Amino acid sequence: MPHQPHPDSANFVVSCAVITVSDTRSLADDRSGQAIQQLLLAAGHRVVEYRIIKDEPGQIQAQIQAFSQQPELDVVICNGGTGIAPRDTTYDAIEQLLEKMLPGFGELFRWLSYQEIGSRAIASRAVAGVYQSKLIFSVPGSTNAVTLAMQKLILPELVHLVSQLRLQP
């Protein structure tokens, strides 16, 4: 693990929502959504909401807006719909909502993906940022991509990023 420039003094449980964006997945076969939940729980965090929704921009935005109204919720993690196929609209829907972007997330995710899948990583539109004081992550829907994002980027920084959002101006 690289040296942290300013280590966190506190460790706390982060309350999360998981959204799988898919026109075909169900609760029974959503391996990626289940992987996100399992990794969060194993790290000591809480999953307070889980939904599977169609890859429709209005539905994606409405679900994120609804989750953002829950005061106990800190983070929304979406998977699916981040490619360039005509039905891949998750990035477009989320990018319109974000008040602050975390461009390093997408850049690092693509770099890490490149290490595993080569140049196909350019098709990923993984994105992260802040919407109404909630941390929003959006990653591709493959279980490998979800696991990579969670283990290498999201879980190592989750407490730090949420603590930054909780700072008073």
Side-chain angles (χ1 to χ4, degrees), residues 18 30-42 50 79 142-144 146-147 150 155:
V18 177
D30 179 23
R31 291 189 359 214
S32 296
Q34 293 165 5
I36 293 169
Q37 293 177 78
Q38 290 166 357
L39 289 164
L40 286 167
L41 294 172
Y50 167 57
N79 76 94
S142 80
T143 305
N144 286 344
V146 160
T147 302
M150 292 296 294
L155 289 173

Side-chain angles (χ1 to χ4, degrees), residues 15-97:
S15 295
C16 305
V18 177
I19 300 173
T20 294
V21 178
S22 175
D23 292 335
T24 59
R25 290 190 188 165
S26 68
L27 292 175
D29 65 3
D30 179 23
R31 291 189 359 214
S32 296
Q34 293 165 5
I36 293 169
Q37 293 177 78
Q38 290 166 357
L39 289 164
L40 286 167
L41 294 172
H45 301 298
R46 289 184 345 141
V47 177
V48 295
E49 296 282 359
Y50 167 57
R51 300 279 190 283
I52 298 176
I53 60 175
K54 299 288 184 201
D55 202 335
E56 295 289 343
Q59 287 184 32
I60 296 165
Q61 289 179 336
Q63 190 61 75
I64 290 172
Q65 290 166 331
F67 283 162
S68 73
Q69 299 305 308
Q70 297 183 25
E72 77 281 2
L73 192 66
D74 299 304
V75 178
V76 178
I77 303 172
C78 302
N79 76 94
T82 62
I84 61 168
R87 291 288 299 154
D88 289 334
T89 63
T90 305
Y91 172 87
D92 307 292
I94 290 174
E95 188 268 339
Q96 291 175 16
L97 290 178

Side-chain angles (χ1 to χ4, degrees), residues 105-138:
F105 174 78
E107 294 161 1
L108 284 171
F109 177 79
R110 284 180 284 281
W111 179 77
L112 290 168
S113 294
Y114 180 78
Q115 310 298 310
E116 292 189 5
I117 64 171
S119 59
R120 291 264 167 107
I122 67 171
S124 168
R125 297 190 299 158
V127 66
V130 178
Y131 174 68
Q132 294 190 357
S133 300
K134 308 296 183 194
L135 194 55
I136 311 294
F137 292 100
S138 178

